[in-house]
Each structure stands twice: as structure tokens, then as C-alpha cells.
Amino acid sequence: RGEIWWYDFTVRGERFRGSTGARLKEDALTIEKREHRKALVGGLHQSLTLEEATDLWFQAKGADKKSAKTTALRIEIMLRHMGRNVLVGEIGARHITAAINARRVEPILRGKNRVESKAYPSNSTVNRDMIDSTLRPILNYARRNLEATVKEIPWSDLRLSEPRERVRFFSDEEIAAWEANRPVWHRPLMHFILRYGVRLKEAFFPLSAMHGDDIYTRDRKNGPQVITLIPEDAAEMRARA
């Protein structure tokens, strides 16, 4: 799976499978023979590690999503602090708390050379890295789909506090002051953003994105964003097109 070889064999009707952790086939075959020998003499305890559960969850639930690359980066961070070989059934609140605390004091890496900065991840970033995008869905998947025994974990107690989003409303005077200091050719763009609440990149689109009075902006995670123009804006947009 990816660059890592896995073993999968049956001994006396019982199936044994898991990651060898090896990238070379020669090493993987050696590890497989060792595990097979253990199974023959009854010394191989079949347990699911966090890395094994993570690989299965990602292939089933995360690999095909647009956010796959970001999720994969978060998984690497989570596994680094939780430990790849920890058994799923042994993961509890104390273990997760220690991993979260370790992540909080890990400097942010920046630049092409990934140099440590003096900044540290925000509480929101730590929550996404360690809980929301990784551990919680992985452990839920292991319990429901992989027949693993998972401890009851108080996620709401473990999540770090996040500041509430502040919604900023601008007055007509503020907007008028902005427009007065904008070039004339910027004003229609600003008008479009303020009226329809699109993101900056979504305010730029090809003519092929126009379908009647509707505009299909770039895809978001849950599908394309469709904006229906009010009649006066639709007429102006058609004239511009």
C-alpha cells in the first residue's frame, strides 16, 4: 500500500494481516516469514495498530477527496506524536492529551527547506491535526468497520478552546470610502464581492462559468458554488460578456 509492503496469510482458518513497515520486498518477505512462524506456534497476537487503522481509513474515506493531500500531512503529524505502533484498543484520553500537548509546543516549519520558525500552531490547527481530521474519524471507522475495540473518549474535553469567529459588518460610509479610493475598473469587482459574499478567487471566473443568470464559481469541498444574479446584475454581466 503506497510504498509499504503488507503481509496477508491464513493459519488454521485464522487470517493474519498487517504492515511490515518495509519498503523493500526482500525485507518484507523476511518479516512475513517471521510473522508466519509466530502464527504457526501460536505466538502472533492479532492486534490493530494505529498506523494500520489509519492506512485502511485513508484508503476508504480520504484518498479520493480534494483535501487528501492536507489530510495526509495531518496524519503524519498525528502519527508522529501518537506513535505508529500503539494499539487502537489502548488509545485513551491520557495518551491523546500527551500527544496534543507535544503538538502545541512543536514549532511551525516554514519555507521550502522546512525550517523551524518561532511561531507555534494555533489551538484550531492542533484540533484539526490531532482530533477533527485524524484520530476521531479513524477510531470511529476502526470501531464500526474494522471490528476493533475502542475506548470511550471524551472528545469535547480534549479539544482545545478556539476563539469564536467575529463577524464584521461594514457601514455604508466605510464602503463608500473604499470605492472612492479604488480605480474605476475595480469597482464592479468590489460590488460583486460585497453583494454576493464570494471569496476573492471566486470573483474571477471564465465566461464558460455563466449559465443564464447563474454563475458556477470554483468547486468547494461540497461541490460547486452556484450564484444566481439578480436581474439588473445579470443584464450588466451579459453586456460585459
Side-chain angles (χ1 to χ4, degrees):
R1 297 177 182 177
E3 298 179 353
I4 303 299
W5 288 91
W6 283 51
Y7 64 81
D8 191 338
F9 56 81
T10 303
V11 174
R12 291 188 289 273
E14 183 177 0
R15 186 181 183 187
F16 297 88
R17 59 180 174 176
S19 172
T20 67
R23 286 181 164 81
L24 296 178
K25 189 173 183 179
E26 288 181 1
D27 296 339
L29 288 172
T30 301
I31 295 171
E32 182 188 37
K33 289 179 181 178
R34 183 192 68 195
E35 300 301 293
H36 190 268
R37 191 178 301 112
K38 288 182 181 179
L40 285 173
V41 298
L44 181 60
H45 179 64
Q46 179 71 353
S47 299
L48 187 67
T49 67
L50 179 57
E51 184 176 33
E52 292 167 348
T54 298
D55 286 343
L56 294 170
W57 170 81
F58 186 75
Q59 293 299 324
K61 299 294 184 179
D64 296 331
K65 293 185 177 179
K66 291 179 64 177
S67 58
K69 185 176 180 180
T70 300
T71 302
L73 292 173
R74 293 189 187 279
I75 284 173
E76 284 301 315
I77 293 171
M78 181 272 294
L79 290 176
R80 183 168 68 248
H81 292 291
M82 288 292 297
R84 296 177 180 275
N85 297 320
V86 61
L87 300 180
V88 166
E90 295 179 355
I91 295 175
R94 185 174 181 177
H95 191 161
I96 297 172
T97 299
I100 288 174
N101 289 337
R103 173 57 177 152
R104 293 180 72 181
V105 296
E106 185 177 50
I108 296 174
L109 302 179
R110 288 179 174 157
K112 293 183 178 179
N113 297 325
R114 309 301 291 163
V115 178
E116 286 189 1
S117 66
K118 295 182 180 180
Y120 296 93
S122 66
N123 286 1
S124 300
T125 298
V126 174
N127 286 336
R128 307 299 177 271
D129 289 346
M130 303 302 299
I131 296 178
D132 299 338
S133 301
T134 55
L135 263 179
R136 184 163 56 186
I138 289 169
L139 293 182
N140 286 339
Y141 181 81
R143 176 176 51 81
R144 291 194 301 261
N145 302 90
L146 305 180
E147 301 177 354
T149 301
V150 178
K151 292 182 179 180
E152 189 70 25
I153 297 173
W155 296 111
S156 59
D157 295 336
L158 298 180
R159 295 184 82 259
L160 302 178
S161 61
E162 299 181 23
R164 290 187 177 182
E165 182 180 1
R166 179 171 176 261
V167 179
R168 175 75 160 87
F169 293 96
F170 299 100
S171 66
D172 292 339
E173 291 76 13
E174 289 176 308
I175 295 174
W178 291 344
E179 289 188 338
N181 288 279
R182 289 280 182 273
V184 175
W185 53 89
H186 284 188
R187 293 175 187 174
L189 182 64
M190 180 179 173
H191 173 80
F192 181 73
I193 292 174
L194 290 173
R195 187 187 288 273
Y196 296 100
V198 298
R199 300 171 182 174
L200 181 61
K201 288 185 178 180
E202 293 172 346
F204 297 87
F205 47 84
L207 296 180
S208 59
M210 295 177 57
H211 300 273
D213 291 349
D214 294 334
I215 295 176
Y216 288 70
T217 65
R218 69 192 183 107
D219 286 346
R220 294 184 179 178
K221 291 180 180 178
N222 58 348
Q225 176 78 359
V226 181
I227 297 173
T228 300
L229 301 175
I230 62 175
E232 62 184 84
D233 289 345
E236 181 184 355
M237 194 69 73
R238 282 194 294 269
R240 290 180 177 277

